[in-house]
Amino acid sequence: VQLQAYGGGLVQAGGSLRLSCAASGDVFDISVMGWHRQAPGKQRELVAAVRSGITYYADSVKGRFTISRDNAKNTVYLQMNSLKPEDTAVYYCVARSSVVVSARDNEYDYWGQGTQVTVSS
């Protein structure tokens, strides 16, 4: 499975960005898709994940970020609104075969390349 992420960039605080991630290869092996992020000097954290319409969000992004998935296109999206400087990080698209939505980054089988999101104050 290969994951290709798009959509990072620079935005002012309060602005919006939309990340996309397209999966290719043995996509039938994928159950959960989501996004981790890693900010400088901080641990990597699961931001959001989705499986069969069930979603998970980190407390820090609830109400601001929305994850969605288009199974026909094997693509997952992360709509990020009301962005804050603390959302600045490298965002990684992830996927796993297990049906369990795990917050542990070492439990994800597939990783895309990171995409930088920078929010200026």
Side-chain angles (χ1 to χ4, degrees), residues 32-117:
V32 178
M33 294 189 75
W35 297 87
H36 279 275
R37 70 183 179 186
Q38 185 161 27
K42 294 186 178 181
Q43 284 191 328
R44 199 153 46 190
E45 67 168 338
L46 181 67
V47 175
V50 59
R51 176 185 65 82
S52 300
I54 300 171
T55 56
Y56 162 88
Y57 294 98
D59 288 342
S60 58
V61 306
K62 282 180 181 176
R64 301 188 296 121
F65 291 12
T66 303
I67 190 168
S68 59
R69 185 169 171 179
D70 185 335
N71 290 323
K73 296 182 179 179
N74 299 312
T75 299
V76 65
Y77 305 94
L78 186 67
Q79 178 66 43
M80 304 184 292
N81 298 330
S82 301
L83 283 161
K84 304 176 181 179
E86 51 263 43
D87 294 317
T88 295
V90 177
Y91 285 70
Y92 297 90
C93 177
V94 296
R96 67 181 310 215
S97 302
S98 169
V99 299
V100 176
V101 175
S102 173
R104 298 181 178 182
D105 57 6
N106 63 355
E107 293 186 354
Y108 281 80
D109 305 301
Y110 308 105
W111 289 75
Q113 87 287 2
T115 184
Q116 177 70 46
V117 171

Side-chain angles (χ1 to χ4, degrees), residues 10-50:
L10 172 64
V11 65
Q12 287 189 329
S16 299
L17 280 175
R18 188 192 195 206
L19 304 182
S20 303
C21 173
S24 60
D26 191 8
V27 297
F28 294 104
D29 192 44
I30 294 175
S31 180
V32 178
M33 294 189 75
W35 297 87
H36 279 275
R37 70 183 179 186
Q38 185 161 27
K42 294 186 178 181
Q43 284 191 328
R44 199 153 46 190
E45 67 168 338
L46 181 67
V47 175
V50 59

